[in-house]
Amino acid sequence: MKIFLVYPPCSELNLKGYPLGLGYLAAALGKYFEVSVFNYNGREFERSIRSFLRTVKCGQPDVVGISFNSFNRWGAYRLIKQIKRINKNIKVVLGGVHPSTMFTQVFQYFYEDIDFIIQSEGETTLVKLCQALERSADFTAISGLVYKTADGKFKANPVTDIIKDIDDLEMPDYSYAADEIRKKEIAFLISSRGCPVNCSFCSTSSFWGQNVRMNSPERIGAEVESALRMGAKRIFFHDDTFNLGIERTIKIAGILKKFNIEYAIQCRVTPVNEEMIAALAGSGCRHITWGAESLSETILNKIHKKITREQVKKAFDICAGFTDKLTTSAFFCVGTPGETEKTVAETVEYLNTFIRSTHGPGASMLYVLPGTKIHADLVKAGKFDELIWAKKGSVYYYTQEHSMKVLNRWRKMINRSGIRIPYTAAYFWDSVPQSSEHAGFWANTAVAKAAKKFKRSLNLLLSRY
């Protein structure tokens, strides 16, 4: 059986790095089948669509697996509408956060164009499905599978087959990203699945669950070693929360220290202590982005962040003692339901009074995304028409309470806030080449910068809801 796995192009917001999920799927499927991976993240949209469809026409795979989220769903939908026109016998399987959480809508709009949707993780489910298809065997009992029924409807099996020990997974096959890793000298890895909390703006818990599963420090070391063999000199860990326990974090740091690499991570502001930060800084950690989102107690409670302002201050205060080795910043979000001038002012005031960081906050405006509590609440209240996900290609900011102009002003206010402290550590991201499909002189010109600014402005206008 020949299988094509594809991450479609996006017309708006691309991933940082390359899609990791395809590496795990390729490794799992590769034990039994012929697998090819096509990654169009960061590539020109129309050219990528044409390229993959030509490849399907020439390669004639038995199965095409399409992995996508809400941001690149339009690229996925463009492919979905064409694949069976090339060969109606090709089985089209969808996976990823968006189709997993919106499978009812996706089947409603693309019933004739797709065959299956896989909810949650796919390493076990997709392998079992492909084995059943190859043998013409029954697939109706496979965990997490959504499939068509004889009466023209569909059935969604519950997700029951969860991979309890993710160390048991095959080592991910990132050969499709080998050139990118070699040229940029950076690899992207992930060491856990799930999140211990369920913030209202985030879909991580709805997709992976709140039962956090972690790779062992030894497995993480093995994946880092593999990345180094591919030419990486730096690692970015995509975990939403890298510090899942102080003891585990210190053990991971001990293993990473042996490789003499630089790496960057994202963390919650709890748990943290000086021993943990010292271990990270001493093992090559060069940047930590803390997840704060807001410093208004009202908003922190509304979004179920389960942190305090004092914990944010503590995390930054500890890091301030290690600016010879690492730099810091934080994620913030404006425009969550209930946000006001007062709550933004509270965040700005606390930043300016207490938060000492080498780099400023990185504030963004709230996207309304499927799989989040905010999305579910807005749909239930009749304040968000979820049919928009099938009819238009944009991803939408929450503008029910405030205009884009106000949200953008708040974003800039927060980004300018905070106490900047001197540092001698090299900034991690300065060492990472910024690639472009049109790299070279043009990519660094004023014309390119103006075009990027225009595209962002157009996106803001199109993404109002």
Side-chain angles (χ1 to χ4, degrees):
M1 176 178 280
K2 183 189 294 186
I3 302 170
F4 283 3
L5 300 177
V6 60
Y7 185 87
C10 179
S11 58
E12 291 189 14
L13 183 66
N14 291 297
L15 288 173
K16 180 180 288 186
Y18 42 85
L20 303 183
L22 295 186
Y24 287 91
L25 293 175
L29 290 165
K31 291 178 63 178
Y32 309 98
F33 309 106
E34 178 186 345
V35 183
S36 299
V37 178
F38 303 87
N39 170 30
Y40 293 102
N41 180 57
R43 306 295 181 86
E44 198 278 326
F45 189 84
E46 293 295 339
R47 189 185 308 167
S48 298
I49 297 294
R50 292 194 298 269
S51 173
F52 184 70
L53 292 176
R54 283 196 301 268
T55 303
V56 170
K57 188 174 183 179
C58 294
Q60 293 293 317
D62 301 291
V63 175
V64 172
I66 307 176
S67 175
F68 63 99
N69 53 44
S70 299
F71 291 93
N72 69 331
R73 73 186 188 284
W74 214 244
Y77 293 166
R78 286 281 300 276
L79 297 179
I80 287 167
K81 295 299 292 184
Q82 296 297 323
I83 291 172
K84 284 189 178 291
R85 294 183 184 182
I86 295 172
N87 183 343
K88 65 180 180 180
N89 295 319
I90 295 174
K91 299 299 182 183
V92 178
V93 186
L94 310 183
V97 178
H98 190 89
S100 179
T101 54
M102 298 291 292
F103 61 81
T104 298
Q105 181 185 96
V106 174
F107 254 116
Q108 177 184 352
Y109 278 85
F110 301 101
Y111 193 88
E112 300 300 325
D113 305 301
I114 65 174
D115 298 283
F116 305 98
I117 294 175
I118 293 176
Q119 305 171 74
S120 192
E121 57 199 13
E123 291 91 350
T124 301
T125 300
L126 186 55
V127 168
K128 288 183 177 180
L129 173 62
C130 290
Q131 289 174 332
L133 292 174
E134 187 175 50
R135 300 192 304 264
S136 298
D138 179 55
F139 50 73
T140 58
I142 296 175
S143 168
L145 187 66
V146 188
Y147 59 93
K148 297 177 181 179
T149 54
D151 58 0
K153 298 179 181 180
F154 63 89
K155 181 180 178 181
N157 290 340
V159 179
T160 56
D161 194 0
I162 299 294
I163 301 165
K164 295 180 180 178
D165 186 352
I166 58 176
D167 275 4
D168 291 340
L169 291 169
E170 297 292 323
M171 287 283 289
D173 177 3
Y174 295 132
S175 56
Y176 58 92
D179 286 345
E180 183 175 349
I181 293 171
R182 178 178 52 81
K183 291 175 182 177
K184 292 186 176 182
E185 298 182 335
I186 183 171
F188 295 80
L189 303 177
I190 190 165
S191 71
S192 62
R193 296 184 177 186
C195 183
V197 294
N198 188 15
C199 299
S200 62
F201 59 86
C202 180
S203 61
T204 294
S205 292
S206 66
F207 185 74
W208 294 116
Q210 283 189 266
N211 181 22
V212 182
R213 293 160 292 158
M214 299 170 276
N215 281 129
S216 65
E218 292 74 20
R219 167 62 181 247
I220 297 168
E223 292 199 23
V224 168
E225 191 170 15
S226 176
L228 294 180
R229 288 196 297 268
M230 297 179 74
K233 294 181 180 178
R234 289 170 292 275
I235 304 290
F236 176 75
F237 287 94
H238 258 296
D239 303 63
D240 292 327
T241 304
F242 186 81
N243 57 327
L244 291 167
I246 289 175
E247 183 179 350
R248 174 179 182 265
T249 305
I250 292 174
K251 286 182 179 179
I252 294 172
I255 286 178
L256 296 180
K257 187 175 183 178
K258 301 174 185 177
F259 294 109
N260 192 30
I261 58 164
E262 295 182 345
Y263 63 98
I265 58 177
Q266 304 169 140
C267 294
R268 279 178 59 81
V269 296
T270 178
V272 59
N273 64 17
E274 187 165 349
E275 182 186 8
M276 185 187 87
I277 299 300
L280 290 169
S283 65
C285 181
R286 294 295 171 258
H287 189 78
I288 301 176
T289 306
W290 298 102
E293 316 309 339
S294 175
L295 291 173
S296 163
E297 292 179 346
T298 299
I299 296 300
L300 288 174
N301 289 332
K302 278 183 175 291
I303 64 176
H304 310 299
K305 187 68 180 175
K306 295 185 179 179
I307 61 172
T308 66
R309 302 194 302 180
E310 292 72 25
Q311 288 171 330
V312 178
K313 178 180 182 298
K314 176 186 175 184
F316 278 101
D317 283 348
I318 294 173
C319 288
F322 296 89
T323 55
D324 60 325
K325 292 185 175 68
L326 61 80
T327 56
T328 52
S329 61
F331 293 122
F332 281 83
C333 182
V334 297
T336 55
E339 188 89 88
T340 63
E341 292 281 358
K342 181 176 182 291
T343 60
V344 173
E346 289 170 350
T347 293
V348 169
E349 181 182 9
Y350 201 89
L351 276 164
N352 288 337
T353 306
F354 296 110
I355 304 303
R356 300 180 296 148
S357 180
T358 64
H359 290 70
S364 60
M365 296 179 289
L366 175 71
Y367 282 114
V368 180
L369 295 174
T372 66
K373 185 178 184 301
I374 286 176
H375 181 274
D377 289 347
L378 290 173
V379 171
K380 185 176 181 180
K383 295 182 178 180
F384 190 94
D385 181 8
E386 62 180 347
L387 291 180
I388 209 162
W389 297 117
K391 295 179 178 179
K392 295 184 179 181
S394 293
V395 178
Y396 296 90
Y397 297 110
Y398 178 60
T399 56
Q400 290 285 316
E401 299 178 32
H402 305 284
S403 68
M404 293 294 294
K405 183 177 180 180
V406 169
L407 295 176
N408 204 29
R409 175 170 59 81
W410 287 349
R411 180 184 65 83
K412 292 178 179 179
M413 284 171 58
I414 291 175
N415 284 345
R416 290 193 296 263
S417 302
I419 304 166
R420 304 294 186 275
I421 58 176
Y423 62 97
T424 55
Y427 182 52
F428 180 83
W429 293 108
D430 283 346
S431 302
V432 180
Q434 300 300 308
S435 66
S436 168
E437 201 171 58
H438 310 288
F441 171 76
W442 190 90
N444 295 312
T445 63
V447 176
K449 293 178 181 178
K452 185 176 181 181
K453 185 175 182 180
F454 173 76
K455 186 176 180 180
R456 173 173 172 76
S457 299
L458 183 62
N459 180 42
L460 291 176
L461 289 172
L462 294 173
S463 299
R464 291 180 295 176
Y465 184 82

